[in-house]
Amino acid sequence: MALRRILTVDDPALHKVCRPVTKFDKKLCNLLDDMKETLVEANGVGLAAPQVGILRRVIVIDTGEELVELINPKIVETSGEQEDVEGCLSVPGEYWLVKRPSFARVCATDRDGNEIELSGEGLTARCICHECDHLDGHIYTEIASRRLTDEELEEMRKESEA
């Protein structure tokens, strides 16, 4: 396994539509292992392959319950609405308010090509939508209502520590 460099928002690769994975081989397994290691090292919640320069439909998500690998994910159901603070490893140091569905269900395949499904509310739904957007060349700031100020972020940090 190896850490991968996370691209930032000005990199053209982050604005391209990714191609589906068609080969479930050692190369894919290495990518998934590297992405998981990179996500953990960066202390992130989700990571999409284009964020490490690979234009394939691959994401990893870790909302604290389990680390999930999704290949060729397709959102098949959403409902409700939530607005919350969102950040991105490719937009370091910035946090924005973003409306997302409060529930999302995605169908995908695992590293062996087996069909899997992931659904969740709250952070899981937000992460599914955020990472799937990356696969279509979109960054969360495109749909954000506003960027949070440093003062707002400091106040949120203080509240979470209390």
Side-chain angles (χ1 to χ4, degrees):
M1 293 196 302
L3 290 177
R4 303 264 182 139
R5 183 175 68 88
I6 298 173
L7 305 178
T8 55
V9 67
D10 55 340
D11 193 296
L14 290 173
H15 305 281
K16 296 184 179 191
V17 175
C18 295
R19 295 179 304 277
V21 171
T22 56
K23 291 171 124 179
F24 294 82
D25 56 10
K26 178 90 171 126
K27 188 174 177 181
L28 174 63
C29 292
N30 288 339
L31 172 63
L32 286 162
D33 292 342
D34 290 354
M35 286 177 63
K36 289 191 301 188
E37 184 176 350
T38 302
L39 178 64
V40 169
E41 179 69 23
N43 198 29
V45 177
L47 186 67
Q51 291 180 274
V52 294
I54 307 297
L55 296 178
R56 290 286 186 251
R57 300 188 78 77
V58 176
I59 62 177
V60 293
I61 295 174
D62 184 2
T63 59
E65 295 176 23
E66 66 176 315
L67 201 146
V68 181
E69 304 169 346
L70 300 171
I71 295 116
N72 298 328
K74 181 176 282 193
I75 296 173
V76 294
E77 181 184 358
T78 61
S79 63
E81 184 177 88
Q82 61 173 315
E83 183 175 49
D84 206 344
V85 178
E86 217 167 285
C88 180
L89 296 173
S90 292
V91 187
E94 293 186 20
Y95 298 88
W96 295 64
L97 280 179
V98 180
K99 283 185 183 175
R100 298 270 189 197
S102 57
F103 171 84
R105 183 166 58 96
V106 64
C107 290
T109 55
D110 65 14
R111 66 172 56 209
D112 299 315
N114 301 309
E115 290 186 18
I116 58 172
E117 186 178 290
L118 173 68
S119 61
E121 298 178 322
L123 180 59
T124 300
R126 178 172 295 282
C127 195
I128 288 169
C129 294
H130 179 113
E131 299 308 327
C132 285
D133 280 353
H134 275 301
L135 302 181
D136 292 323
H138 298 291
I139 305 289
Y140 79 112
T141 55
E142 296 171 23
I143 60 168
S145 59
R146 68 178 183 87
R147 181 179 175 184
L148 274 67
T149 65
D150 291 340
E151 293 78 20
E152 288 173 310
L153 291 171
E154 179 63 21
E155 184 63 30
M156 290 175 70
R157 186 189 63 77
K158 285 179 183 177
E159 288 175 10
S160 71
E161 290 176 354

